[in-house]
Amino acid sequence: MGVFTSDTGHEQVVFCQDKQSGLRAIIAIYSTALGPALGGTRFFPYQTEEEALHDVLELSRGMAYKNALAGLDLGGGKAVIWGDPERDKSESMLRAYGRFVASLGGRYYTACDVGTYVGDMDIVARETRYVTGRSVEHGGAGDSSILTALGVFQGMRAAAAHRWGNPSLAGRTVGISGLGKVGRHLAAHLIEEGATVLATDVSDRARDWARETFAQIKLVDTTDELIRSEIDVYAPCALGGALDDATVPELRAEIVAGAANNQLAHPGIDKLLADRGILYAPDYVVNAGGVIQVADEIEGFNFDRAKLRAMKIYDTTRQILTLADAEGVPPAVAADRLAERRMAEVGRLRTIRL
Ligand SMILES: NC(=O)c1ccc[n+]([C@@H]2O[C@H](COP(=O)([O-])OP(=O)(O)OC[C@H]3O[C@@H](n4cnc5c(N)ncnc54)[C@H](O)[C@@H]3O)[C@@H](O)[C@H]2O)c1
């Protein structure tokens, strides 16, 4: 995908290089229609520069839609650092990166993503104030999985209300694939609500956590086994691409609502889900609690305010599912339409000269 040849229309793409520290980064700003672009920094050993560019263009576009539906006054952007985070990351590289973020003068705010952590953002913050996802000690929002899980839980309740006429998940069985940071908090919300939780994880550590913390969680061996089990709701909370041509026909659940990004392996999958009568709560709508949490840092972090915003994921999910029915399109298409509408309608207000 090229910057000028792609039809997605990114506003700005910046290539950043610092030979001494080995930094090779690309910052992509998809849209600032609603405000400064916010999105994390992915540190990943891409095979080629093209692959890194493709990823950052896709991810930054996704953030514009996510931030718009989260009700934030923020546009969408993302950055990638091309390298192996285990081997290549250093203080000087992160600080060099911070100076490039600073050079954009607030058009782009960064945050954590795959391969970057709160400690890294604390280092980036020594060179720029346009950074979120810092540690609590440095004025940050800390672990964003707390509100991510709360938002997924709210999105799931909204889907339950849409499908079954009642948001309560008490007595329902929810299958969680991935008991990581988000999956664990989600399991806790579900157990508190009175749901039965079936779960799986490839990591022994995660499985041990479940055995030690929540004896109520029923563990199964694999995700394949999980999706073939008698579950009412499937919550993918591990990696992307959880819903593909092989898994959807096997799925027993009536609702899919989970934290993982990019759950649909390809665009035709949402149609496949709809044809099977499975209600899909779009991933980027229900997992926006994390970006809501870190975005709050820009105003000076207030957990209660961020939590109130994350609770609104319930209303947004209901609105999208209702719109999908009304317009006869899959929920993912309805979500895109709603995001585009907000970007156009609210973004337009900037044309009123002050
Ligand atoms: N943390 C956040 O705030 C946040 C925000 C938005 C979206 N997400 C997305 O939610 C997902 C989970 O995030 P997280 O922060 O909990 O990550 P994490 O790395 O803490 O947890 C992921 C868990 O999935 C497990 N896993 C990996 N492959 C698996 C497989 N094939 N089958 C079963 N389990 C598997 C891992 O062992 C791990 O325990 C990711 O896709 C992430 O991009 C996270």
Side-chain angles (χ1 to χ4, degrees), residues 23-44:
L23 174 76
R24 291 177 300 180
I26 311 173
I27 301 171
I29 295 176
Y30 177 74
S31 164
T32 55
L34 293 177
L38 169 67
T41 302
R42 183 162 294 192
F43 202 133
F44 194 78

PDB file of all heavy atoms in Angstrom, residues 23-44:
ATOM      1  N   LEU A  23      17.056   4.064  15.376  1.00  0.00           N
ATOM      2  CA  LEU A  23      15.603   4.291  15.248  1.00  0.00           C
ATOM      3  C   LEU A  23      15.170   4.374  13.788  1.00  0.00           C
ATOM      4  O   LEU A  23      15.724   5.144  13.001  1.00  0.00           O
ATOM      5  CB  LEU A  23      15.203   5.606  15.948  1.00  0.00           C
ATOM      6  CG  LEU A  23      13.731   5.994  15.730  1.00  0.00           C
ATOM      7  CD1 LEU A  23      12.811   5.143  16.599  1.00  0.00           C
ATOM      8  CD2 LEU A  23      13.502   7.476  16.012  1.00  0.00           C
ATOM      9  N   ARG A  24      14.181   3.560  13.450  1.00  0.00           N
ATOM     10  CA  ARG A  24      13.483   3.688  12.165  1.00  0.00           C
ATOM     11  C   ARG A  24      12.000   3.622  12.495  1.00  0.00           C
ATOM     12  O   ARG A  24      11.508   2.566  12.907  1.00  0.00           O
ATOM     13  CB  ARG A  24      13.852   2.537  11.215  1.00  0.00           C
ATOM     14  CG  ARG A  24      15.297   2.605  10.729  1.00  0.00           C
ATOM     15  CD  ARG A  24      15.641   1.426   9.861  1.00  0.00           C
ATOM     16  NE  ARG A  24      15.494   0.177  10.578  1.00  0.00           N
ATOM     17  CZ  ARG A  24      15.727  -1.031  10.050  1.00  0.00           C
ATOM     18  NH1 ARG A  24      16.094  -1.158   8.808  1.00  0.00           N
ATOM     19  NH2 ARG A  24      15.565  -2.120  10.776  1.00  0.00           N
ATOM     20  N   ALA A  25      11.348   4.742  12.391  1.00  0.00           N
ATOM     21  CA  ALA A  25       9.934   4.792  12.788  1.00  0.00           C
ATOM     22  C   ALA A  25       9.113   5.459  11.704  1.00  0.00           C
ATOM     23  O   ALA A  25       9.635   6.256  10.916  1.00  0.00           O
ATOM     24  CB  ALA A  25       9.781   5.572  14.103  1.00  0.00           C
ATOM     25  N   ILE A  26       7.837   5.093  11.648  1.00  0.00           N
ATOM     26  CA  ILE A  26       6.899   5.781  10.760  1.00  0.00           C
ATOM     27  C   ILE A  26       5.708   6.207  11.619  1.00  0.00           C
ATOM     28  O   ILE A  26       5.137   5.395  12.357  1.00  0.00           O
ATOM     29  CB  ILE A  26       6.379   4.868   9.620  1.00  0.00           C
ATOM     30  CG1 ILE A  26       7.535   4.137   8.921  1.00  0.00           C
ATOM     31  CG2 ILE A  26       5.578   5.688   8.607  1.00  0.00           C
ATOM     32  CD1 ILE A  26       7.058   3.087   7.892  1.00  0.00           C
ATOM     33  N   ILE A  27       5.381   7.493  11.541  1.00  0.00           N
ATOM     34  CA  ILE A  27       4.198   8.002  12.244  1.00  0.00           C
ATOM     35  C   ILE A  27       3.159   8.337  11.172  1.00  0.00           C
ATOM     36  O   ILE A  27       3.467   9.062  10.227  1.00  0.00           O
ATOM     37  CB  ILE A  27       4.534   9.281  13.054  1.00  0.00           C
ATOM     38  CG1 ILE A  27       5.643   8.992  14.081  1.00  0.00           C
ATOM     39  CG2 ILE A  27       3.270   9.819  13.750  1.00  0.00           C
ATOM     40  CD1 ILE A  27       6.196  10.233  14.776  1.00  0.00           C
ATOM     41  N   ALA A  28       1.963   7.760  11.319  1.00  0.00           N
ATOM     42  CA  ALA A  28       0.918   8.031  10.323  1.00  0.00           C
ATOM     43  C   ALA A  28      -0.263   8.712  11.011  1.00  0.00           C
ATOM     44  O   ALA A  28      -0.750   8.246  12.047  1.00  0.00           O
ATOM     45  CB  ALA A  28       0.452   6.736   9.672  1.00  0.00           C
ATOM     46  N   ILE A  29      -0.679   9.833  10.435  1.00  0.00           N
ATOM     47  CA  ILE A  29      -1.865  10.545  10.927  1.00  0.00           C
ATOM     48  C   ILE A  29      -2.946  10.363   9.875  1.00  0.00           C
ATOM     49  O   ILE A  29      -2.797  10.833   8.746  1.00  0.00           O
ATOM     50  CB  ILE A  29      -1.551  12.035  11.154  1.00  0.00           C
ATOM     51  CG1 ILE A  29      -0.503  12.179  12.278  1.00  0.00           C
ATOM     52  CG2 ILE A  29      -2.831  12.812  11.485  1.00  0.00           C
ATOM     53  CD1 ILE A  29      -0.042  13.605  12.522  1.00  0.00           C
ATOM     54  N   TYR A  30      -3.998   9.656  10.248  1.00  0.00           N
ATOM     55  CA  TYR A  30      -5.079   9.435   9.289  1.00  0.00           C
ATOM     56  C   TYR A  30      -5.990  10.658   9.220  1.00  0.00           C
ATOM     57  O   TYR A  30      -6.312  11.143   8.147  1.00  0.00           O
ATOM     58  CB  TYR A  30      -5.894   8.191   9.673  1.00  0.00           C
ATOM     59  CG  TYR A  30      -7.067   7.980   8.731  1.00  0.00           C
ATOM     60  CD1 TYR A  30      -6.862   7.512   7.442  1.00  0.00           C
ATOM     61  CD2 TYR A  30      -8.369   8.276   9.132  1.00  0.00           C
ATOM     62  CE1 TYR A  30      -7.925   7.347   6.571  1.00  0.00           C
ATOM     63  CE2 TYR A  30      -9.430   8.107   8.256  1.00  0.00           C
ATOM     64  CZ  TYR A  30      -9.204   7.651   6.981  1.00  0.00           C
ATOM     65  OH  TYR A  30     -10.253   7.492   6.115  1.00  0.00           O
ATOM     66  N   SER A  31      -6.391  11.130  10.415  1.00  0.00           N
ATOM     67  CA  SER A  31      -7.334  12.248  10.438  1.00  0.00           C
ATOM     68  C   SER A  31      -7.172  13.048  11.724  1.00  0.00           C
ATOM     69  O   SER A  31      -6.973  12.482  12.803  1.00  0.00           O
ATOM     70  CB  SER A  31      -8.761  11.703  10.367  1.00  0.00           C
ATOM     71  OG  SER A  31      -9.687  12.701  10.750  1.00  0.00           O
ATOM     72  N   THR A  32      -7.259  14.372  11.592  1.00  0.00           N
ATOM     73  CA  THR A  32      -7.313  15.223  12.782  1.00  0.00           C
ATOM     74  C   THR A  32      -8.633  16.002  12.780  1.00  0.00           C
ATOM     75  O   THR A  32      -8.732  17.067  13.382  1.00  0.00           O
ATOM     76  CB  THR A  32      -6.112  16.214  12.832  1.00  0.00           C
ATOM     77  OG1 THR A  32      -6.083  16.967  11.619  1.00  0.00           O
ATOM     78  CG2 THR A  32      -4.795  15.491  13.022  1.00  0.00           C
ATOM     79  N   ALA A  33      -9.633  15.443  12.107  1.00  0.00           N
ATOM     80  CA  ALA A  33     -10.929  16.142  12.003  1.00  0.00           C
ATOM     81  C   ALA A  33     -11.529  16.401  13.383  1.00  0.00           C
ATOM     82  O   ALA A  33     -12.139  17.439  13.617  1.00  0.00           O
ATOM     83  CB  ALA A  33     -11.904  15.319  11.160  1.00  0.00           C
ATOM     84  N   LEU A  34     -11.356  15.454  14.311  1.00  0.00           N
ATOM     85  CA  LEU A  34     -11.972  15.608  15.628  1.00  0.00           C
ATOM     86  C   LEU A  34     -11.012  16.154  16.678  1.00  0.00           C
ATOM     87  O   LEU A  34     -11.408  16.446  17.796  1.00  0.00           O
ATOM     88  CB  LEU A  34     -12.525  14.257  16.109  1.00  0.00           C
ATOM     89  CG  LEU A  34     -13.705  13.688  15.311  1.00  0.00           C
ATOM     90  CD1 LEU A  34     -14.109  12.323  15.845  1.00  0.00           C
ATOM     91  CD2 LEU A  34     -14.897  14.636  15.355  1.00  0.00           C
ATOM     92  N   GLY A  35      -9.729  16.255  16.342  1.00  0.00           N
ATOM     93  CA  GLY A  35      -8.734  16.725  17.306  1.00  0.00           C
ATOM     94  C   GLY A  35      -7.389  16.096  16.987  1.00  0.00           C
ATOM     95  O   GLY A  35      -7.230  15.427  15.957  1.00  0.00           O
ATOM     96  N   PRO A  36      -6.409  16.283  17.890  1.00  0.00           N
ATOM     97  CA  PRO A  36      -5.100  15.672  17.644  1.00  0.00           C
ATOM     98  C   PRO A  36      -5.234  14.159  17.457  1.00  0.00           C
ATOM     99  O   PRO A  36      -6.101  13.539  18.076  1.00  0.00           O
ATOM    100  CB  PRO A  36      -4.320  15.972  18.922  1.00  0.00           C
ATOM    101  CG  PRO A  36      -5.083  17.018  19.638  1.00  0.00           C
ATOM    102  CD  PRO A  36      -6.495  16.964  19.182  1.00  0.00           C
ATOM    103  N   ALA A  37      -4.404  13.583  16.629  1.00  0.00           N
ATOM    104  CA  ALA A  37      -4.467  12.138  16.388  1.00  0.00           C
ATOM    105  C   ALA A  37      -3.861  11.401  17.588  1.00  0.00           C
ATOM    106  O   ALA A  37      -2.776  11.754  18.048  1.00  0.00           O
ATOM    107  CB  ALA A  37      -3.687  11.801  15.126  1.00  0.00           C
ATOM    108  N   LEU A  38      -4.585  10.394  18.099  1.00  0.00           N
ATOM    109  CA  LEU A  38      -4.051   9.568  19.197  1.00  0.00           C
ATOM    110  C   LEU A  38      -3.995   8.116  18.765  1.00  0.00           C
ATOM    111  O   LEU A  38      -4.955   7.600  18.179  1.00  0.00           O
ATOM    112  CB  LEU A  38      -4.946   9.688  20.447  1.00  0.00           C
ATOM    113  CG  LEU A  38      -4.672   8.681  21.575  1.00  0.00           C
ATOM    114  CD1 LEU A  38      -3.306   8.904  22.224  1.00  0.00           C
ATOM    115  CD2 LEU A  38      -5.749   8.764  22.657  1.00  0.00           C
ATOM    116  N   GLY A  39      -2.887   7.469  19.060  1.00  0.00           N
ATOM    117  CA  GLY A  39      -2.751   6.036  18.784  1.00  0.00           C
ATOM    118  C   GLY A  39      -1.377   5.570  19.244  1.00  0.00           C
ATOM    119  O   GLY A  39      -0.432   6.364  19.319  1.00  0.00           O
ATOM    120  N   GLY A  40      -1.282   4.307  19.558  1.00  0.00           N
ATOM    121  CA  GLY A  40      -0.066   3.780  20.160  1.00  0.00           C
ATOM    122  C   GLY A  40       1.110   3.612  19.197  1.00  0.00           C
ATOM    123  O   GLY A  40       0.985   3.812  17.986  1.00  0.00           O
ATOM    124  N   THR A  41       2.235   3.223  19.788  1.00  0.00           N
ATOM    125  CA  THR A  41       3.454   2.945  19.021  1.00  0.00           C
ATOM    126  C   THR A  41       3.702   1.441  19.040  1.00  0.00           C
ATOM    127  O   THR A  41       3.886   0.853  20.111  1.00  0.00           O
ATOM    128  CB  THR A  41       4.670   3.641  19.671  1.00  0.00           C
ATOM    129  OG1 THR A  41       4.409   5.031  19.730  1.00  0.00           O
ATOM    130  CG2 THR A  41       5.933   3.384  18.860  1.00  0.00           C
ATOM    131  N   ARG A  42       3.663   0.831  17.878  1.00  0.00           N
ATOM    132  CA  ARG A  42       3.927  -0.609  17.776  1.00  0.00           C
ATOM    133  C   ARG A  42       5.408  -0.816  17.468  1.00  0.00           C
ATOM    134  O   ARG A  42       5.922  -0.244  16.510  1.00  0.00           O
ATOM    135  CB  ARG A  42       3.058  -1.221  16.682  1.00  0.00           C
ATOM    136  CG  ARG A  42       3.207  -2.722  16.566  1.00  0.00           C
ATOM    137  CD  ARG A  42       2.063  -3.346  15.814  1.00  0.00           C
ATOM    138  NE  ARG A  42       0.804  -3.204  16.545  1.00  0.00           N
ATOM    139  CZ  ARG A  42      -0.321  -3.850  16.235  1.00  0.00           C
ATOM    140  NH1 ARG A  42      -0.361  -4.671  15.222  1.00  0.00           N
ATOM    141  NH2 ARG A  42      -1.428  -3.677  16.950  1.00  0.00           N
ATOM    142  N   PHE A  43       6.081  -1.611  18.308  1.00  0.00           N
ATOM    143  CA  PHE A  43       7.517  -1.900  18.105  1.00  0.00           C
ATOM    144  C   PHE A  43       7.567  -3.343  17.621  1.00  0.00           C
ATOM    145  O   PHE A  43       7.278  -4.278  18.367  1.00  0.00           O
ATOM    146  CB  PHE A  43       8.245  -1.750  19.443  1.00  0.00           C
ATOM    147  CG  PHE A  43       9.724  -1.505  19.336  1.00  0.00           C
ATOM    148  CD1 PHE A  43      10.319  -0.489  20.088  1.00  0.00           C
ATOM    149  CD2 PHE A  43      10.533  -2.268  18.516  1.00  0.00           C
ATOM    150  CE1 PHE A  43      11.679  -0.243  20.019  1.00  0.00           C
ATOM    151  CE2 PHE A  43      11.896  -2.042  18.434  1.00  0.00           C
ATOM    152  CZ  PHE A  43      12.473  -1.023  19.191  1.00  0.00           C
ATOM    153  N   PHE A  44       7.920  -3.533  16.334  1.00  0.00           N
ATOM    154  CA  PHE A  44       7.734  -4.861  15.756  1.00  0.00           C
ATOM    155  C   PHE A  44       8.799  -5.154  14.696  1.00  0.00           C
ATOM    156  O   PHE A  44       9.146  -4.276  13.902  1.00  0.00           O
ATOM    157  CB  PHE A  44       6.332  -4.936  15.122  1.00  0.00           C
ATOM    158  CG  PHE A  44       5.888  -6.323  14.794  1.00  0.00           C
ATOM    159  CD1 PHE A  44       5.419  -7.172  15.791  1.00  0.00           C
ATOM    160  CD2 PHE A  44       5.957  -6.803  13.489  1.00  0.00           C
ATOM    161  CE1 PHE A  44       5.019  -8.468  15.497  1.00  0.00           C
ATOM    162  CE2 PHE A  44       5.564  -8.103  13.183  1.00  0.00           C
ATOM    163  CZ  PHE A  44       5.095  -8.938  14.194  1.00  0.00           C
TER     164      PHE A  44
END
